[in-house]
Amino acid sequence: MNEVETREDNLEDRVKPLKSFLSRRSFLGKSLAVGAGTIGAGLLANAPTARASGGLTRGDADILRFLAAAEIIEADLWQQYNELGGIQDSEVPGGTGNPAYTAAVEVLDGDMDQYIHDNTDDEITHAAFLNAYLASKGGEPVNLDQFRTLPSSQATGAQNIGRLTNLMQLTVDTSFWTRYRSDSLNPDFGDTLPQAIPTLAVGEHTAIPRTDADTTDPNFLQAIANTAGFHFAFIEQGGTSLYPSLAQRVTQDEALRILLSIGPTETMHFQTWQDKAGNAPTLTAVDPVTGVSVTFPDLNADGEILQTNLIMPEPTIFLNRTFPIVSIIRPTETRGAAMAALNALTADGLFIGQTPAFFALLTQLAQAADHARHGG
């Protein structure tokens, strides 16, 4: 047996148990539950940057580690949606479903439960793969289990376990809607886009029923489902931009291949969700607990910038305002991309209730990813 074959056999032996541990069916039980078994040896509190090992540069490992953390966070929030409004099966176990919420979400599309299930499954596999790949290269995987302390929904269908994310106090930035419909504005140039649903961008809104009391008023329940529909798209447009932004900083071909292979699936998610969000019925509702009001207007009443069936990216400015407009993902500016993503998730309200240690760790991971340089 030659040296290459020996090295490949050793790698297979090292990765095989990790693959079993991080399979999508075991990931929920072993990584999404409170007090779960660890994914890696440590929490990275003492590992500000990756060791260059196994063919990965330090920067590549830092980028993959930040993306693994982002995917773990995504898996956590999507699991909450799936428990209440998706399909619970062997691929995405946990929860028992909430019929009233499921019906309200399906007003946006009759297949929403399947789409929620599949998006959840995708994010679980992304997180599991990235951690397994890091471990196979001798890098440090990401484990956020000690931060699974946020409360679950108490509504029928939800698991009563600790969460990383909070879906019950959201401030949803819906400027992604107008950004992809504008032919003259691009955030890479510092442009600010208007909100599609202005009231979602202020106050704190719940995207899942907090208790069964939230399902008793059909109008308010539909407002919760509408909020979820726009939040789905907000989350996935973030990944749509994040992967190409960070891909510009990786060095190794295989690391680049990973980013170029996972990133487009986030775009497929976004395309689906912005299409479905456009079906949200017009309404105004007041949260009976917080008193916060939300209005979902007729988006088709205000021209192309809000038109619901314009789900293909409108050509816009790119690189230089003197160039012809072109249909692109935006933003894709690479400087500060990881911190920008973290700041957006924080502003969304996803981490309300989290500890300073949680923010310190994610900031550390984001800054390390942003410090990576192609060829460095």
Side-chain angles (χ1 to χ4, degrees):
M1 182 178 292
N2 63 37
E3 182 180 353
V4 173
E5 290 173 334
T6 301
R7 185 162 59 249
E8 289 178 347
D9 287 345
N10 289 340
L11 178 59
E12 184 178 353
D13 289 341
R14 291 177 59 204
V15 177
K16 191 177 297 181
L18 189 64
K19 283 181 178 177
S20 175
F21 179 80
L22 290 174
S23 71
R24 62 184 175 185
R25 291 183 179 137
S26 68
F27 185 78
L28 289 170
K30 294 182 178 177
S31 181
L32 293 185
V34 177
T38 59
I39 295 177
L43 187 63
L44 303 181
N46 298 315
T49 57
R51 298 184 303 274
S53 61
L56 277 181
T57 67
R58 180 183 299 254
D60 286 357
D62 285 337
I63 287 171
L64 292 173
R65 184 175 293 107
F66 176 74
L67 291 173
E71 296 290 358
I72 289 170
I73 288 167
E74 278 196 273
D76 178 84
L77 70 91
W78 277 108
Q79 174 64 17
Q80 295 179 66
Y81 282 129
N82 194 72
E83 289 174 11
L84 293 167
I87 296 171
Q88 300 80 41
D89 58 14
S90 59
E91 288 184 340
V92 187
T96 56
N98 186 292
Y101 180 67
T102 300
V105 171
E106 287 184 343
V107 169
L108 280 63
D109 189 281
D111 290 322
M112 289 289 274
D113 59 347
Q114 185 68 60
Y115 298 153
I116 292 171
H117 167 280
D118 291 350
N119 206 141
T120 307
D121 189 28
D122 287 354
E123 308 306 353
I124 292 168
T125 65
H126 290 168
F129 177 87
L130 290 167
N131 262 335
Y133 183 79
L134 281 164
S136 77
K137 297 297 183 180
E140 192 83 37
V142 177
N143 180 4
L144 301 179
D145 284 348
Q146 81 170 60
F147 300 114
R148 299 184 186 281
T149 59
L150 299 185
S152 293
S153 164
Q154 298 302 302
T156 297
Q159 294 187 91
N160 188 21
I161 61 175
R163 313 288 186 172
L164 291 173
T165 57
N166 182 348
L167 298 180
M168 296 176 279
Q169 294 175 272
L170 297 176
T171 302
V172 185
D173 181 353
T174 58
S175 64
F176 67 83
W177 189 273
T178 55
R179 180 194 318 152
Y180 275 94
R181 287 161 176 77
S182 173
D183 62 2
S184 60
L185 299 176
N186 182 340
D188 280 336
F189 289 84
D191 297 330
T192 300
L193 282 296
Q195 298 287 331
I197 313 294
T199 52
L200 270 187
V202 295
E204 296 177 357
H205 306 272
T206 186
I208 55 175
R210 296 159 296 199
T211 67
D212 285 339
D214 284 340
T215 67
T216 58
D217 177 355
N219 189 60
F220 180 59
L221 179 58
Q222 191 60 55
I224 294 175
N226 287 6
T227 300
F230 279 90
H231 191 240
F232 296 165
F234 165 79
I235 291 296
E236 299 306 308
Q237 63 84 31
T240 293
S241 287
L242 182 61
Y243 275 88
S245 297
L246 293 182
Q248 299 169 66
R249 292 181 172 267
V250 300
T251 297
Q252 300 294 330
D253 288 348
E254 198 165 64
L256 179 61
R257 183 180 179 185
I258 290 171
L259 270 66
L260 295 183
S261 297
I262 293 179
T265 69
E266 303 286 344
T267 307
M268 295 171 74
H269 297 159
F270 172 55
Q271 180 82 339
T272 298
W273 293 127
Q274 71 157 334
D275 183 29
K276 305 314 172 189
N279 296 328
T282 59
L283 60 83
T284 295
V286 177
D287 188 321
V289 175
T290 66
V292 173
S293 176
V294 63
T295 296
F296 292 88
D298 178 2
L299 294 174
N300 290 310
D302 291 315
E304 289 189 357
I305 197 68
L306 296 176
Q307 191 172 324
T308 58
N309 65 354
L310 296 181
I311 63 170
M312 308 295 179
E314 187 72 13
T316 193
I317 53 174
F318 183 51
L319 297 182
N320 190 304
R321 290 185 187 271
T322 64
F323 291 155
I325 59 174
V326 59
S327 182
I328 54 163
I329 297 298
R330 62 264 205 179
T332 54
E333 169 59 58
T334 187
R335 288 173 297 180
M339 275 304 302
L342 175 57
N343 290 338
L345 293 176
T346 302
D348 185 47
L350 274 179
F351 305 137
I352 290 176
Q354 272 293 359
T355 64
F358 174 84
F359 289 104
L361 175 59
L362 289 187
T363 298
Q364 175 183 306
L365 292 171
Q367 289 177 341
D370 282 336
H371 185 71
R373 296 291 184 273
H374 174 73

